[in-house]
Amino acid sequence: MTETTSPVPLTLASPVDQVFPVLTPAQIARLAAHGHVRQVQRGEVLAEAGEQLARFFVVTAGQVELVRPSGVTEALVAVLRPGQFTGEVTMLSGRRRLVRIRAGEAGAVIEVERQHLLALVQTDSELSEIFMRAFILRRVELIAHGFGDVVLVGSNYSPGTLRVKEFLTRNGHPFASIDLDRDPDVQALLDRFQVTVDDVPVVICRGVVVLRNPTNGQIADCLGFNEAIDQTRVRDVVIIGAGPSGLSAAVYSASEGLDVLVLEANAPGGQAGSSSKIENYLGFPTGISGQELAARAYTQAQKFGAQLLIAKRVTRLACDRQPYAIEIDHGPHVPARAVIIATGAEYRRLSLEHLSQFEGAGVYYGATFVEAQVCAGEEVIVVGGGNSAGQAAVFLAHTASRVHILVRSGGLSASMSRYLIRRIEETPAIVVRPYTTITALDGGDHLDRVHWRDHQAGTSATHAIRHVFAMTGAVPNTRWLEGCVALDAQGFIKTGPDLSPEDLAAARWPLTRAPHLLETSLPGVFAVGDVRGGNIKRVASAVGEGSIAVAFVHQVLRE
Ligand SMILES: Cc1cc2nc3c(=O)[nH]c(=O)nc-3n(C[C@H](O)[C@H](O)[C@H](O)COP(=O)(O)OP(=O)(O)OC[C@H]3O[C@@H](n4cnc5c(N)ncnc54)[C@H](O)[C@@H]3O)c2cc1C
């Protein structure tokens, strides 16, 4: 029962007994009560890669192999022995399996339906901890070894390639990638199949579907990200946006028994997902990357039963009916008894000619590992004097040869936290350029040159710099609300005590009670995080507001 030889033919980043733990007889007995014993023959396939994940197996006798099919060949991912179990994070989302599960030897398994396993992890804290840790660590290993069901063929100079890399990374989906700039043979192959520059990146999805420069929505559809989710049921609460505030609302509402659906236009994490290192979030003294924080929150929300629709943009709120209806991509309507708006804000675009030509091809709005790799060894510009600009500069200074911070004002002290200013002062690769703004961008397919002006010295100069990070404040994502709720002069949503009697009269507030804290001018519709007027733009406040709103959702549902 406790054989300890490594079950994997690979080097693991985490201890093998955490990635592939062996359950005790008592733990197996608790699981067995939720499933049934199945005898298996050598070579028998228990579940196929690519099928929607519906069952979970614990080996009780013999051996079970996890293999990754690849064309006519296959790669062995792991061998499970008695006491070990199948599954990784797709077990929570119900997405398609990444591996084939096959009996390596005759034996027996306990087969448990996914729904029963999900119910068990909510009540059995010991098993929940073992499964969660193993599922997450396995996903980390799959990503590290590129054992996904996606091959991305692209170029680091193409904005589409960066977008797809970021989308897959932020969804925690493993993929292998081929860089056309380093692999001329693949470029020749693409030429032969008349794949043009506009078709790049090419995404080979589940080994069968070839997508040319797909949208994030097409990739999500091909990988079946949203297949297991019922979009027609009336939900207790629909949360729009899966940044820190939306994910927090999802964790609290699902853990308190509400039927919750989250709608996310892109990938979980929001602005925080583009932060290289968050150092001021409680409980992480050495900092945590926004992506890691978001990935943990996403898994936590799913563990409690929240469902997330990925790459689905909300285009309208039908607020003239009850239940409310939320329109997705001008298509289907999701009905909801209560709504939490958590759509956050987006970084301001620089007001420069030809900007869109270079977005993703030299101009970026986030500084993560993906962008840092692209500009390794080169000079970069960070525009902005706030904390996000400071963080980006410090992070990029690890890989870039020089980082120029361009600020319109006389310095950083008014707008940036002291700890970041100190870090910048201590980093020789960073140069702060006060009173300086970019005046023009130049290049072909990619940004090649930047013109900037020092307004104090009255000088202009041109620099062969190919990467600009724009970190200059944010505008709220509220355009889609089309007058449903009261907004302030900057377009942020007014809530609770900020709503004046005139606002409520204009909105025809129908109740005798005043709006709850975080409730908008529409009863049962709440706004949390950066999208809300008066919010302090921090991860901690977004998370706090997400949890507070849920307390009021309960009250509204009882009304
Ligand atoms: C680079 C950077 C670094 C930062 N560093 C820190 C830090 O160190 N510490 C700190 O406390 N704060 C930091 N912040 C601020 C922090 O990230 C934000 O305050 C926080 O992310 C706000 O969370 P939110 O959920 O309200 O909104 P957001 O994070 O903006 O998330 C909103 C989500 O809604 C989705 N969405 C938008 N419109 C729609 C729609 N129509 N339909 C469906 N979905 C939609 C978006 O795709 C997004 O995922 C940083 C921000 C940035 C950009």
Side-chain angles (χ1 to χ4, degrees), residues 241 243-245 264-265 270-272 280 314 343-345 347 391 529-530 538-539:
S245 63
E264 167 52 50
Q271 294 170 71
N280 55 358
V314 171
T343 46
Y347 261 78
Q391 264 183 23
D530 278 19
R538 294 276 186 278
V539 174

Side-chain angles (χ1 to χ4, degrees), residues 119-340:
L120 182 69
V121 294
Q122 299 201 16
T123 51
D124 189 321
S125 58
E126 187 192 29
L127 284 177
S128 169
E129 193 184 316
I130 295 170
F131 292 151
M132 283 302 136
R133 190 174 47 222
F135 291 169
I136 292 168
L137 293 178
R138 287 174 190 182
R139 174 55 64 110
V140 170
E141 297 298 341
L142 286 172
I143 291 173
H145 293 97
F147 265 135
D149 49 1
V150 179
V151 180
L152 171 66
V153 185
S155 155
N156 274 343
Y157 298 110
S158 108
T161 305
L162 279 190
R163 171 182 54 79
V164 173
K165 266 192 189 174
E166 200 142 327
F167 178 69
L168 292 168
T169 307
R170 287 180 63 165
N171 276 295
H173 197 90
F175 64 95
S177 80
I178 298 175
D179 185 351
L180 286 173
D181 306 309
R182 295 200 182 149
D183 204 331
D185 291 348
V186 180
Q187 180 65 65
L189 183 86
L190 292 189
D191 294 344
R192 204 171 240 258
F193 285 96
Q194 272 126 35
V195 174
T196 67
V197 174
D198 291 341
D199 294 329
V200 172
V202 172
V203 174
I204 304 168
C205 172
R206 293 192 287 115
V208 281
V209 183
V210 178
L211 301 170
R212 295 177 180 214
N213 196 7
T215 62
N216 292 350
Q218 287 170 320
I219 299 171
D221 288 345
C222 180
L223 295 175
F225 278 3
N226 301 319
E227 274 172 359
I229 298 175
D230 177 2
Q231 300 178 28
T232 56
R233 189 165 82 227
V234 183
R235 305 285 180 151
D236 292 330
V237 57
V238 168
I239 299 164
I240 307 168
S245 63
L247 288 170
S248 155
V251 167
Y252 283 91
S253 42
S255 66
E256 292 167 18
L258 298 179
D259 182 5
V260 52
L261 178 65
V262 185
L263 307 174
E264 167 52 50
N266 186 25
Q271 294 170 71
S274 62
S275 169
S276 43
K277 199 169 193 189
I278 297 168
E279 294 193 59
N280 55 358
Y281 188 56
L282 190 74
F284 294 92
T286 55
I288 180 166
S289 80
Q291 261 169 34
E292 198 183 339
L293 187 66
R296 288 176 184 218
Y298 182 26
T299 306
Q300 198 174 9
Q302 289 181 317
K303 168 185 133 170
F304 287 121
Q307 294 185 314
L308 277 89
L309 277 179
I310 299 298
K312 297 286 177 193
R313 179 170 291 280
V314 171
T315 42
R316 201 168 83 87
L317 172 65
C319 50
D320 52 355
R321 66 185 85 159
Q322 280 284 5
Y324 297 118
I326 296 127
E327 191 176 301
I328 304 172
D329 286 329
H330 302 288
H333 286 70
V334 179
R337 297 170 65 208
V339 177
I340 298 180

Side-chain angles (χ1 to χ4, degrees), residues 30 33 40 51 89 93 144 159 212 254 513 522 537 548:
R30 293 214 295 282
V40 293
E51 72 179 31
V89 289
S93 58
R212 295 177 180 214
R513 68 161 175 84
L522 197 59
K537 310 264 175 293
I548 295 167

